[in-house]
Amino acid sequence: KRELKKYKESIYFTEKKYTKYISKRNKFKLFAKKLEFENTFNQIKWLNLYYFLIWAILILSSIYIILFSDYFSVKNIDVIKNDSWVNINLVYKSIEEVRYSPLVFVDKNEIRDRILSFQPNINKVEVQKILPDNLKIILTSFEKLFYFENDWKKYEILSNGSVIPTSTIKKENTIKIKWLSLYWFIDYKIIFDGSVLKSISNAIKYISENNSVVKIKDITYYLKEYEFHI
């Protein structure tokens, strides 16, 4: 019994010492790992800072090139007209100040307002920015309703009341205008009331479609009174 007790006691103390040894060794390994992690973490921090500075420089350089470089400034302006009533020369004259401006700062609404201030006969203005330096503008005018002559000059009248100079007219769509001498310069200006013009057009269409006997000889529009006589 005594020998068995001693044997058990020897086993217990051996396991206890071995456990302490394992515990100390693990603590040392843990400390070493912790020290290694701290050194690695410091290296990672400096590495991240290095990459951050590189990306910041690249982003700032890209922003500078896009906003202020001549490479991304407006050099080419392409104007496409969908009808014959758009005056290309007036369009380029109205937006000439936009040329060589940074493309990203070009305001589409401002371009539209500039064009319409010179040509109110234009109904739709579509502006497209095409990198790196191109501006594309597509223009569509109001529809044509009538022709008329004034001081031996021939004009077309569009549905919004604007007047476009022309070289030829069609007799069946020609109207007479009274009191037009009040205006000195009428090219590409809104002279007539668009709603009145539409009423005239609708009246002519109604008479033509519903009466094959009566033919319209002439149409006179009195500019002062906003009246038309058929």
Side-chain angles (χ1 to χ4, degrees), residues 54-187:
I54 291 177
W55 278 106
I57 293 172
L58 290 175
I59 292 172
L60 291 175
S61 300
S62 301
I63 292 174
Y64 176 80
I65 291 173
I66 292 174
L67 297 183
F68 304 105
S69 172
D70 290 338
Y71 183 73
F72 287 97
S73 62
V74 178
K75 298 184 183 68
N76 302 314
I77 301 177
D78 298 327
V79 178
I80 300 174
K81 60 178 186 176
N82 291 328
D83 50 71
S84 60
W85 304 301
V86 175
N87 189 317
I88 294 293
N89 294 327
L90 288 179
V91 175
Y92 281 116
K93 181 180 179 181
S94 64
I95 60 175
E96 187 60 33
E97 295 181 5
V98 178
R99 196 182 297 274
Y100 301 115
S101 300
L103 185 64
V104 69
F105 289 147
V106 172
D107 188 351
K108 296 181 179 181
N109 292 326
E110 182 182 354
I111 291 179
R112 180 181 181 276
D113 294 340
R114 285 174 177 269
I115 293 174
L116 293 182
S117 65
F118 280 73
Q119 293 189 82
N121 57 289
I122 296 175
N123 185 21
K124 295 180 182 179
V125 179
E126 182 182 350
V127 182
Q128 300 176 2
K129 299 179 183 180
I130 303 175
L131 294 175
D133 57 2
N134 193 32
L135 202 62
K136 185 177 181 181
I137 302 174
I138 304 173
L139 304 173
T140 305
S141 297
F142 288 91
E143 64 175 335
K144 177 184 63 62
L145 294 181
F146 302 106
Y147 297 96
F148 78 97
E149 292 185 78
N150 183 53
D151 293 334
W152 305 104
K153 291 182 179 179
K154 300 177 177 65
Y155 294 94
E156 294 173 305
I157 307 175
L158 305 190
S159 61
N160 71 324
S162 57
V163 175
I164 310 298
T166 183
S167 57
T168 58
I169 62 175
K170 293 181 179 180
K171 187 176 180 180
E172 60 270 17
N173 289 330
T174 301
I175 64 175
K176 298 177 182 179
I177 309 296
K178 296 295 185 180
W179 312 115
L180 191 60
S181 58
L182 297 173
Y183 298 91
W184 291 96
F185 184 75
I186 63 175
D187 294 16

Side-chain angles (χ1 to χ4, degrees), residues 200-216 219 228 230:
I200 297 174
S201 178
N202 291 335
I204 294 172
K205 184 178 180 181
Y206 178 81
I207 294 173
S208 300
E209 291 178 352
N210 294 276
N211 195 323
S212 60
V213 177
V214 177
K215 293 184 179 180
I216 298 174
I219 303 169
F228 67 94
I230 299 178

Side-chain angles (χ1 to χ4, degrees), residues 25-43:
R25 187 175 66 177
N26 289 341
K27 285 182 179 180
F28 175 76
K29 286 183 177 181
L30 183 62
F31 175 76
K33 288 288 185 183
K34 184 178 179 181
L35 186 63
E36 181 182 355
F37 173 76
E38 289 178 352
N39 293 334
T40 305
F41 183 72
N42 290 330
Q43 294 176 1

